[in-house]
Amino acid sequence: DRNKADINHDQIHRIEHNWSKLSEPKIEIPPERFHLCKDLDLFGQASLFKILSITKTPLGVRTLAGWMMNPADPDQIQKRQQAVNRLTDQLQLREELQLLAKSVADSRTDPDHLLEWAKGSLWLEKRPGLRYFTRVSSCLMLGLLIGFFLPGAPRIFLGGASLGLLLVHFGLTAIFSGSIHGIFNSVGYRQRDVSNYFHLFLLSRKLPEDCELLESIRNQLSSGDHNAVICIKSLQRIIGIAQMRRNGLMFLVYLCVQFLFMIDFHTLSWLEKWHKQNAERVQHWLWSLAEWEALTSLSNLAFHHPEWTFPKIDQRLGTLTAFGLGHPLINGNDRVCNNVTVGPTQTILLVTGSNMSGKSTLLRSIGLNAILAQMGSAVCAGKMEMPSVQIETSMRIGDSVSDGISFFMAELKRLRQITVEAENLKQVPGKTLLFLLDEILQGTNSRERQIAVVRVCHHLLESQAIGAISTHDLELAEAPEISNRVQAVHFREFFETSTDGKNEMKFDYLMREGVSPTTNALKLLTMVGLDTPKPSE
């Protein structure tokens, strides 16, 4: 089966980090989450979304992306962890879900069409007089026909009355059939969208029953009162009657039933009754399916990384603590893990070190794992505990020439946004801002940069935020305003002699206590051939 083969190939590419082989749907990123998504590689070529997502339906994709950008509360995180843990070993169910969801995605079914129809107005309900008349006239026609065949009945009178009523029905059909059949055609098109989802809803009957979140999804889709499977079967029967006129063998039967009993009006009445009873449920069905897909993506990640762990999220904690923390986008064979502590409040983790030694990677490791944690996912660590946080970053600030904003001013504006957000969160119980700032304020001279960075740190410390800053400025840890509140760590380089006698710079990417004792900028200049020029003769 081609779909099954495609799914298996994608999984291999995901495990091996063959980013170019993995497609990614277009994700709409809210402006307030732009920096976070860009700085932490949430979406794009080599991204967390690519390694995480096996969602196929449009709403499944949206849901997983939304979870990445918007942290859940601790109670919801715990429920998701239970569901993910329960789904991890459900290999066959995961594959069946992907296959059916891929079929839906390939059919280009748009759930927005379903939601649009579910929110639409009702044609016959706006014409109550017509609805009641057709009901009465249909009953009257049935009575006339039954009476016509009774012994001793006045057949001339009954026949004339039946003929007159038949003409009335013919006239109403001629007047209103265009509008009614237009509704039937529109609903028939939407119903095909629903039918594409039907087998997905039916598959939910295989979900485990011993998990609260999965049981809720199962009840919505296939086992609770008024679940999607039962209701869609009912809708399919109604649409089948509405489409009877399209069947060549049944067309004559349709004409007889229509002129005698106004079947179109009754079918429309049944359809509108279904609409009133289930319109709000359609959205719940689709979002429940999307939630199931997102949970399945998290369970797939946990299955392929059994060494990862589920973190503890507790609002009472003031510190993010992780043992064996690694970068989830780096291949396991190349990944180097470290023990990391960020916090408590009134402290800053200051990360120093030489170029290319691992400072930025550490910050992204903290951010990406905090995002995974608050999605309900396993994280790339041996153990992790953290409070509920909102993550703000400043790592990849660029010039905005079209807006007339320099690199330095763009970075200042971003830092201002972070400090304001930290002040606002200070008033929110059980919520902490986690900031990750990488080599900030490089667009000015070193003396003013140090003063500016100290001021930024002071604002963040006073707002009860926690976070980490990477820097080349080794004197920053000794600034009097913050020196007693800095937890300094560093990465460093070492040199090995190659077989041809040249010194090669190496990195072990292991985090060490204290400020970096070395720098390597001048050594790097020499390595690329930009060493001290010889004096001219």
Side-chain angles (χ1 to χ4, degrees):
D1 183 84
R2 182 174 179 178
N3 283 342
K4 188 173 182 179
D6 289 343
I7 288 171
N8 290 333
H9 288 151
D10 283 348
Q11 187 58 56
I12 293 172
H13 297 320
R14 200 172 288 112
I15 293 171
E16 297 179 348
H17 294 183
N18 293 329
W19 306 113
S20 61
K21 301 291 186 178
L22 293 168
S23 61
E24 182 184 28
K26 184 177 180 180
I27 307 293
E28 292 186 10
I29 301 174
E32 65 274 13
R33 298 283 84 186
F34 171 78
H35 291 287
L36 177 73
C37 296
K38 179 181 179 182
D39 290 345
L40 297 184
D41 298 310
L42 297 192
F43 308 102
Q45 174 66 9
S47 64
L48 184 63
F49 188 86
K50 276 193 174 182
I51 200 174
L52 187 60
S53 176
I54 59 172
T55 57
K56 302 298 180 183
T57 68
L59 282 183
V61 170
R62 275 187 247 171
T63 297
L64 185 64
W67 285 8
M68 292 171 64
M69 293 183 281
N70 302 288
D73 62 72
D75 290 341
Q76 186 65 22
I77 291 171
Q78 187 175 9
K79 291 178 181 178
R80 288 181 189 172
Q81 287 181 352
Q82 292 171 352
V84 171
N85 192 46
R86 190 67 182 85
L87 288 171
T88 298
D89 61 353
Q90 302 286 321
L91 303 182
Q92 184 175 349
L93 180 60
R94 185 156 60 243
E95 185 176 87
E96 289 183 59
L97 176 63
Q98 289 184 79
L99 287 171
L100 290 173
K102 190 176 189 304
S103 297
V104 169
D106 291 344
S107 70
R108 301 188 181 278
T109 295
D110 190 344
D112 290 335
H113 292 162
L114 301 178
L115 298 176
E116 179 184 349
W117 172 69
K119 295 175 182 178
S121 58
L122 304 179
W123 186 87
L124 195 56
E125 191 176 64
K126 294 179 179 180
R127 298 163 176 82
L130 183 60
R131 181 175 55 188
Y132 292 131
F133 174 80
T134 53
R135 288 178 180 175
V136 172
S137 67
S138 297
C139 292
L140 182 58
M141 177 63 81
L142 180 61
L144 291 173
L145 292 177
I146 292 173
F148 186 85
F149 294 100
L150 292 177
R155 289 185 173 82
I156 295 178
F157 170 77
L158 294 175
S162 299
L163 182 59
L165 194 55
L166 193 66
L167 292 174
V168 172
H169 287 180
F170 182 84
L172 291 174
T173 299
I175 294 172
F176 295 111
S177 63
S179 298
I180 294 175
H181 291 167
I183 295 171
F184 287 164
N185 293 337
S186 175
V187 174
Y189 173 71
R190 302 292 182 259
Q191 188 265 348
R192 287 194 293 273
D193 288 348
V194 177
S195 296
N196 285 332
Y197 282 92
F198 178 78
H199 293 291
L200 275 169
F201 296 155
L202 194 61
L203 182 65
S204 68
R205 290 180 175 174
K206 295 184 179 181
L207 282 171
E209 299 181 30
D210 55 351
C211 174
E212 180 182 351
L213 189 53
L214 298 180
E215 181 67 15
S216 174
I217 294 172
R218 179 187 172 106
N219 286 340
Q220 281 281 347
L221 300 182
S222 65
S223 64
D225 296 335
H226 306 293
N227 67 75
V229 170
I230 292 174
C231 294
I232 289 177
K233 282 184 177 179
S234 173
L235 178 61
Q236 288 173 330
R237 287 193 292 268
I238 296 171
I239 296 299
I241 297 173
Q243 300 299 325
M244 185 171 59
R245 72 186 192 281
R246 294 179 174 274
N247 189 316
L249 296 176
M250 295 296 294
F251 181 69
L252 293 178
V253 176
Y254 160 75
L255 288 178
C256 293
V257 178
Q258 171 61 21
F259 293 141
L260 289 173
F261 303 112
M262 304 293 285
I263 188 63
D264 280 350
F265 289 88
H266 300 304
T267 303
L268 183 56
S269 180
W270 298 330
L271 181 62
E272 292 190 353
K273 181 180 179 181
W274 189 98
H275 187 286
K276 290 176 67 175
Q277 291 176 341
N278 298 291
E280 293 184 2
R281 296 177 185 141
V282 171
Q283 186 168 0
H284 293 303
W285 299 337
L286 293 174
W287 283 112
S288 291
L289 174 61
E291 185 177 24
W292 178 17
E293 274 198 281
L295 290 170
T296 299
S297 287
L298 301 186
S299 71
N300 187 66
L301 183 73
F303 175 79
H304 288 285
H305 297 279
E307 73 281 9
W308 293 15
T309 187
F310 288 98
K312 176 183 177 182
I313 314 293
D314 191 334
Q315 292 173 319
R316 295 168 294 182
L317 295 173
T319 302
L320 185 155
T321 306
F323 297 93
L325 184 78
H327 195 301
L329 302 186
I330 295 177
N331 192 290
N333 295 328
D334 302 321
R335 184 189 302 128
V336 177
C337 299
N338 290 283
N339 298 335
V340 180
T341 299
V342 182
T345 57
Q346 299 293 317
T347 65
I348 288 178
L349 181 66
L350 185 68
V351 186
T352 62
S354 53
N355 295 288
M356 304 185 299
S357 60
K359 301 188 301 298
S360 300
T361 299
L362 176 68
L363 264 58
R364 291 192 173 89
S365 298
I366 296 169
L368 285 167
N369 281 290
I371 284 174
L372 285 171
Q374 295 189 120
M375 293 175 69
S377 172
V379 297
C380 184
K383 182 180 179 181
M384 184 172 176
E385 296 181 348
M386 60 179 285
S388 181
V389 299
Q390 177 176 316
I391 307 169
E392 297 291 344
T393 61
S394 179
M395 296 184 180
R396 292 169 173 160
I397 302 297
D399 294 331
S400 182
V401 178
S402 61
D403 296 332
I405 299 175
S406 68
F407 176 90
F408 184 66
M409 181 56 70
E411 196 168 17
L412 282 180
K413 286 190 173 185
R414 177 58 189 149
L415 293 172
R416 173 59 179 164
Q417 292 171 353
I418 294 173
T419 56
V420 169
E421 197 62 39
E423 284 292 332
N424 293 338
L425 281 182
K426 186 178 178 181
Q427 313 303 321
V428 180
K431 196 75 171 181
T432 304
L433 185 131
L434 171 63
F435 60 86
L436 301 168
L437 312 180
D438 188 24
E439 298 288 353
I440 58 173
L441 300 177
Q442 298 180 70
T444 187
N445 64 76
S446 59
R447 177 57 187 157
E448 288 189 332
R449 178 171 66 246
Q450 185 180 110
I451 295 173
V453 171
V454 168
R455 288 184 183 178
V456 171
C457 291
H458 180 75
H459 279 290
L460 293 171
L461 288 166
E462 292 303 310
S463 64
Q464 306 298 313
I466 63 173
I469 297 178
S470 69
T471 182
H472 283 288
D473 189 350
L474 304 183
E475 297 178 359
L476 187 61
E478 300 175 1
E481 299 89 339
I482 61 173
S483 60
N484 62 335
R485 295 191 280 183
V486 164
Q487 299 173 347
V489 296
H490 71 275
F491 294 89
R492 61 181 304 176
E493 77 287 344
F494 61 95
F495 290 87
E496 289 183 352
T497 302
S498 63
T499 54
D500 58 0
K502 294 182 179 180
N503 280 342
E504 292 185 350
M505 188 179 297
K506 302 286 186 178
F507 303 94
D508 58 16
Y509 306 110
L510 294 175
M511 190 178 74
R512 299 169 172 85
E513 296 293 327
V515 176
S516 174
T518 64
T519 58
N520 67 358
L522 296 180
K523 295 174 183 176
L524 287 171
L525 282 171
T526 301
M527 290 178 64
V528 299
L530 295 175
D531 49 357
T532 305
K534 298 179 180 179
S536 58
E537 297 181 359

